[in-house]
Amino acid sequence: MTSPWLGWIQQLQGIAQTGLHYKNHPFDTERYEQIQAIAAAMLAAQIDTDPPTVLNFMQQEQGHATPKVDVRGVVFRDQKILLVQEQSDELWALPGGWADIGDSPSHAVEREIFEEAGLTARATQLLACYDRAHPRHGHPPALHHSYRLVFHCEITGGQLTPSYETPAVDFFGPNDIPPLSLGRTGPDQIQRFFDYLKNPNQPTDFD
């Protein structure tokens, strides 16, 4: 899907979802449902599927349309970066996932590192805040926006151990990075974090 089309669909869906949340008249409901149906039909035509399936997917998101929050951890050992293999696509990414309700961002990323790689770690610095749906980061197209918070984390204990979600975990040098799960971690981001290893005083990367 071309970026302009996806952006238009995202905006229509966001207007419809937020409008349905704040509706105060039956006619408002009808109009916003029509907008959402148009957005679903547009997306269905772009990805060659049926509009009711897409509309059902869109309707699962309710309330004020706003980005979700994803956290990722950058962990170095012996000049190598920690990556985990994702069970869903057998590709590799920085350890992390969706932040849970009740978690602070730093606690969320520390928990993810332990759950996915078996290491205890302490978040020490926010390295980046990325928009998952922004084309500049090289991620595949996504309907819903999410903000990715990337933290530098220092190992405090534990033992490198895979999990049911991440069947393999390992540290990799800059020249032996395995195939990446691009929806989670991009090659330019990996390069950015190795640059940070050389120069820890770089400012936070964002947008």
Side-chain angles (χ1 to χ4, degrees):
M1 187 189 310
T2 59
S3 295
W5 274 101
L6 180 58
W8 297 331
I9 292 167
Q10 288 171 333
Q11 291 178 56
L12 284 174
Q13 161 62 10
I15 291 168
Q17 180 181 324
T18 302
L20 288 169
H21 178 66
Y22 292 111
K23 63 185 184 295
N24 56 19
H25 192 282
F27 287 154
D28 288 341
T29 301
E30 182 179 350
R31 292 187 185 99
Y32 287 122
E33 286 177 343
Q34 288 175 346
I35 293 174
Q36 194 169 52
I38 291 170
M42 292 169 64
L43 181 57
Q46 291 287 316
I47 62 176
D48 193 25
T49 189
D50 61 288
T53 298
V54 177
L55 182 59
N56 179 66
F57 175 72
M58 288 180 171
Q59 290 173 338
Q60 293 177 21
E61 293 287 327
Q62 298 181 5
H64 187 105
T66 188
K68 294 184 176 181
V69 176
D70 172 31
V71 295
R72 296 282 156 178
V74 173
V75 181
F76 289 108
R77 186 173 70 184
D78 299 329
Q79 308 297 304
K80 296 182 178 182
I81 196 167
L82 174 65
L83 297 176
V84 298
Q85 186 183 42
E86 298 287 342
Q87 185 182 51
S88 58
D89 58 12
E90 298 183 347
L91 300 174
W92 294 75
L94 295 170
W98 296 120
D100 288 340
I101 298 298
D103 269 350
S104 67
S106 61
H107 181 265
V109 73
E110 291 165 359
R111 172 180 50 77
E112 288 286 345
I113 292 169
F114 179 73
E115 291 177 354
E116 294 189 347
L119 298 174
T120 59
R122 181 174 62 89
T124 60
Q125 184 176 348
L126 179 65
L127 300 183
C129 179
Y130 295 134
D131 182 347
R132 161 68 175 81
H134 198 292
R136 76 180 277 252
H137 301 305
H139 296 299
L143 178 60
H144 299 299
H145 280 262
S146 61
Y147 289 166
R148 175 161 299 143
L149 304 179
V150 186
F151 291 88
H152 175 241
C153 301
E154 295 179 350
I155 298 172
T156 59
Q159 183 174 352
L160 204 60
T161 307
S163 72
Y164 72 96
E165 290 183 325
T166 53
V169 296
D170 207 346
F171 286 87
F172 297 89
N175 298 319
D176 59 356
I177 300 298
L180 295 172
S181 181
L182 296 179
R184 299 175 174 89
T185 302
D188 290 346
Q189 295 167 19
I190 294 292
Q191 181 59 54
R192 165 78 181 181
F193 302 138
F194 272 108
D195 291 343
Y196 163 81
L197 184 62
K198 298 176 184 177
N199 179 18
N201 296 320
Q202 293 186 68
T204 300
D205 194 18
F206 56 89
D207 290 348

